[in-house]
Amino acid sequence: MDTVTDGAAVAPCLVRLGRRAMRCAAGCRGASVSLRCPGGEGHSASTHPDLAVLAALQEDTGEGPCVDAARSLRTVGATDLVTDARWPDFRIAALERGLRACAAVPVTAGGVAATVTLYAFRPWRLTAAAREAVGALAEETVGGLLREHARTGAEAEAEQLRTAMATRAVIDQAIGIVTHLLDCDPGRAFDVLRVLSQHTNRKLSAVAAQIVRAKGRGSTRELRRLLAELP
């Protein structure tokens, strides 16, 4: 699978996940969620604009708790960024926004990687119970997105099939009409429709639909001329 779905549909789900995760972790005051699909497509969303800036900074610099958690597939956190200097750029940006602590929880489901990063204004540590709850919520959200992607994909394929069948039916009707008008075999009738499509720079299905609607009236002379020009 190369993608989950379009960004406009994913973002609200990620924000809801962030808010639910916050309720699982006492002392947490904000959350951001990042999603990475096997094909490299990524999505992210945050409960506050400042946290979106921090998420983008980590993406740009390749350093930060979210990045480390995604790489190691282990929870990564800092209980106090005043004394924890592992990620210089991220640390400064977080402290400037009044943030003192963070914890990033990674999960994978169906080949999709998700990382939930939680933030606090005071020195803080994510408990084991909260970590498990956040991970479960993330897996649930990713699973829901994958199911929705599968459903919409199946619906799109079904619609394409219905369209193809309808188009084939119209072309078959047009072939029947041309066969009758020109007293030729179906193969030659199809060739006439194909040449007419090329000459008018219109899709074959559109040419066929016009002939079906008119039942061939008004086009016999042109069709005979095209038949005569065929090799």
Side-chain angles (χ1 to χ4, degrees), residues 3 24-25 39 47 82 116 121 124 127 142 155 159 180:
T3 180
C24 293
T47 59
V82 170
V116 181
F121 289 126
W124 168 82
T127 66
V142 172
E155 290 179 351
E159 181 59 30
H180 176 72

Side-chain angles (χ1 to χ4, degrees), residues 92-113:
I92 292 172
L95 291 174
E96 286 177 344
R97 289 162 175 78
L99 299 169
R100 289 283 299 272
C102 61
V105 181
V107 301
T108 58
V112 176

Side-chain angles (χ1 to χ4, degrees), residues 78-81 100-101 120-125:
T79 57
D80 192 346
L81 288 168
R100 289 283 299 272
F121 289 126
R122 297 179 181 179
W124 168 82
R125 184 188 301 274

Side-chain angles (χ1 to χ4, degrees), residues 24-198:
C24 293
C28 171
R29 293 295 179 265
S32 62
V33 182
S34 65
L35 208 65
R36 184 69 62 183
C37 302
E41 177 194 19
H43 301 278
S44 64
S46 302
T47 59
H48 190 278
D50 279 350
L51 303 185
V53 173
L54 292 178
L57 176 65
Q58 293 180 78
E59 182 74 19
D60 292 342
T61 62
E63 68 166 34
C66 177
V67 174
D68 285 0
R71 287 173 178 164
S72 65
L73 295 180
R74 300 178 62 181
T75 298
V76 175
T79 57
D80 192 346
L81 288 168
V82 170
T83 56
D84 193 326
R86 278 176 290 173
W87 314 292
D89 293 335
F90 168 82
R91 172 176 176 263
I92 292 172
L95 291 174
E96 286 177 344
R97 289 162 175 78
L99 299 169
R100 289 283 299 272
C102 61
V105 181
V107 301
T108 58
V112 176
T115 305
V116 181
T117 306
L118 303 169
Y119 296 90
F121 289 126
R122 297 179 181 179
W124 168 82
R125 184 188 301 274
L126 184 68
T127 66
R131 181 175 66 248
E132 290 182 5
V134 171
L137 288 174
E139 290 178 353
E140 175 188 313
T141 298
V142 172
L145 289 170
L146 289 171
R147 289 191 294 273
E148 177 64 14
H149 173 74
R151 183 187 67 80
T152 56
E155 290 179 351
E157 289 180 2
E159 181 59 30
Q160 290 172 0
L161 179 59
R162 285 192 292 269
T163 300
M165 292 175 64
T167 298
R168 181 70 255 180
V170 170
I171 292 174
D172 286 343
Q173 291 179 56
I175 288 174
I177 292 171
V178 175
T179 297
H180 176 72
L181 289 175
L182 304 184
D183 191 23
C184 64
D185 63 69
R188 300 288 280 179
F190 177 79
D191 288 339
V192 168
L193 292 175
R194 176 177 52 78
V195 173
L196 181 58
S197 170
Q198 294 171 348

Side-chain angles (χ1 to χ4, degrees), residues 166-168 170-171 174 197 202-211 213:
T167 298
R168 181 70 255 180
V170 170
I171 292 174
S197 170
R202 298 166 62 199
K203 289 184 178 180
L204 181 62
S205 58
V207 170
Q210 182 180 7
I211 289 176
R213 284 195 300 271

